[in-house]
């Protein structure tokens, strides 16, 4: 492990190696956390934008994209827009002829790409009819990269299996907090864990051996949670001095009672892990914090996106800043758009290919998502990393679908040329070029068809 600085100066520990199967000597440069603008608006991390935003073309217009940038994969496609909400892509350029095992793989988002809430998106079924052979096996490596975290890995695999009609293995599913397995220096520390669902099981599965939930802390110190009048104690117990100090905070996902979690997290940070006591001055640096899932919003059945864990983090950061005058710092931020999550996904793609006996290395990754800030930004950031490191996969193309958070009608510039609001986490900064997808399509089925055409595979 070594300490790096993000674009905003927050300290983040980055593993020297991802897993025992990772490329020896693989390292994480600080440039992976930077968000410097690209030099040309149409060049996106080595790719040229092969389709056009629905708001940028008139009805029925067709335009051919320019040639790809040097050293970039050939991604020549044509945008055919019959309606302002139509994102259809039709390939017309030369394509590779498929011979032998696959040399590419898919990183698929879940919410807004494959499902909306608990309902499968019909296009996902069509996509997997193309991806799965007659024996029920995947034709190419696929991993599911979701920023969900309030669920067990094997439970998510079972849910996807039932919805998609083929068996998804647990090690094909990457939850937002999965890379926390790599932060072994915190696994034996006494950590306060927040979120919902199977919190203790998830923390244990990640390697943490000594965790305390918010409810356990609240029961030990009932005088701390005072917002809900119905839960205020009628009599105040004597202060406890036998409660072991907390050594860090683990944020796995959005909790149910935000006011309780925010209050008790602040109590732990301001008291240096001893919430039953008070300090004259708040310690700084504060106790280490590991957090996963930075999504401000996510798409369920409702017409408008819902608050995500990124919104909770925003509240916590604002409260800490207001009370102390200092910036809340993270020892690790995981989930998309973190490069660490994509490197973890690449590793699983390679392991999956090895298990199937596909000897050819996986050279091209295609990340399909519905959220420009997490899915597109993260894939483009990882592509930049791959271009600089020159090891492992050669490219990661971002494919944006129109079935989730991204709304084609809202993608046009605001009147007066105002920039859209930045929905990403503060530690990743804002780089407009990294939010521009390599492709925009209607749905995941079109995304699979597009990739198969480019790779010379029969759909």
């Amino acid at each position: 492990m070594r300490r790096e600085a993000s674009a905003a100066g927050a300290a983040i520990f980055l593993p020297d190696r991802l897993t025992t199967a990772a490329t020896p000597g693989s390292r994480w440069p600080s440039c992976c956390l930077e968000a410097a603008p690209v030099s040309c608006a149409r060049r996106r991390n080595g790719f040229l934008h092969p389709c056009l935003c629905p708001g940028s073309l008139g009805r029925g217009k067709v335009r051919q994209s320019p040639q790809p940038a040097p050293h970039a994969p050939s991604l020549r496609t044509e945008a055919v827009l019959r309606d302002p909400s139509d994102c259809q892509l039709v390939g017309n350029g030369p394509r590779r002829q498929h011979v032998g095992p696959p040399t590419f793989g898919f990183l698929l988002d879940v919410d807004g790409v494959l499902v909306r809430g608990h309902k499968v998106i019909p296009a996902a079924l069509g996509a997997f009819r193309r991806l799965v052979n007659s024996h029920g096996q995947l034709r190419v490596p696929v991993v599911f990269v979701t920023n969900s975290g309030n669920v067990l890995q094997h439970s998510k695999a079972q849910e996807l299996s039932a919805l998609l009609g083929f068996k998804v293995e647990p090690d094909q599913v990457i939850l937002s907090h999965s890379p926390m397995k790599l932060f072994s220096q915190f696994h034996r520390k006494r950590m306060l864990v927040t979120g919902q669902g199977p919190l203790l099981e998830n923390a244990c599965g990640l390697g943490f051996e000594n965790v305390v939930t918010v409810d356990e802390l609240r029961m030990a110190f009932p005088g701390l949670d005072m917002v809900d009048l119905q839960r205020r104690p009628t009599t105040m117990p004597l202060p406890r001095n036998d409660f072991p100090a907390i050594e860090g905070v683990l944020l796995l996902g959005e909790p149910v009672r935000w006011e309780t979690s925010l209050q008790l997290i602040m109590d732990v940070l301001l008291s240096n892990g001893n919430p039953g006591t008070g300090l004259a001055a708040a310690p700084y640096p504060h106790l280490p914090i590991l957090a996963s899932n930075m999504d401000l919003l996510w798409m369920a059945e409702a017409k408008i996106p819902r608050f995500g864990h990124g919104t909770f983090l925003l509240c916590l950061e604002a409260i800490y800043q207001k009370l102390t005058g200092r910036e809340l710092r993270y020892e690790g931020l995981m989930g998309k758009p973190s490069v660490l999550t994509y490197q973890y996904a690449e590793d699983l793609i390679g392991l999956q290919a090895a298990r199937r006996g596909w000897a050819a290395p996986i050279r091209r990754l295609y990340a399909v998502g519905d959220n420009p800030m997490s899915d597109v930004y993260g894939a483009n950031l990882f592509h930049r990393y791959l271009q600089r490191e020159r090891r492992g996969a050669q490219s990661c193309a971002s494919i944006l679908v129109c079935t989730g958070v991204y709304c084609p009608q809202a993608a046009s510039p605001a009147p007066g040329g105002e920039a859209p609001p930045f929905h990403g986490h503060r530690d990743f900064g804002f780089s407009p070029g990294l939010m521009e997808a390599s492709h925009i399509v209607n749905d995941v089925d079109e995304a699979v068809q597009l990739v198969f055409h480019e790779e010379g595979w029969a759909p």
Side-chain angles (χ1 to χ4, degrees), residues 80-146:
V80 181
L81 302 180
R82 300 179 181 85
D83 182 85
S85 64
D86 190 356
C87 300
Q88 184 177 359
L89 289 175
V90 180
N92 71 336
R95 60 180 181 177
R96 305 177 185 89
Q97 295 300 312
H98 165 58
V99 177
T103 56
F104 66 98
F106 284 94
L107 314 181
L108 299 181
D109 184 29
V110 176
D111 293 299
V113 175
L114 305 178
V115 301
R116 289 278 294 267
H118 295 289
K119 296 180 180 179
V120 66
I121 295 173
L125 301 178
F128 278 89
R129 281 192 289 268
R130 305 177 197 279
L131 289 168
V132 177
N133 64 22
S134 58
H135 302 290
Q137 296 178 312
L138 287 167
R139 300 169 62 193
V140 300
V142 174
V143 295
F144 302 89
V145 188
T146 174

Side-chain angles (χ1 to χ4, degrees), residues 200-251:
L200 295 179
E201 295 94 328
N202 269 327
C204 179
L206 295 170
F208 294 92
E209 302 174 6
N210 189 4
V211 296
V212 179
T213 67
V214 168
D215 282 341
E216 289 172 337
L217 185 62
R218 174 180 166 271
M219 295 300 294
F221 300 97
L224 299 182
D225 185 20
M226 303 296 286
V227 173
D228 188 344
L229 298 178
Q230 299 295 324
R231 301 209 304 176
R232 284 187 184 179
T234 55
T235 59
M236 197 62 63
L238 294 174
R240 291 186 57 171
N241 56 11
D242 60 344
F243 193 83
I246 292 172
E247 300 173 281
V249 180
L250 196 60
L251 307 176

Side-chain angles (χ1 to χ4, degrees), residues 106 130 443-454 457 459:
F106 284 94
R130 305 177 197 279
D443 51 51
V444 66
D445 191 26
E446 287 189 10
V448 171
Q449 292 182 65
L450 172 67
V451 173
F452 276 10
H453 172 85
E454 186 59 33
W457 281 55

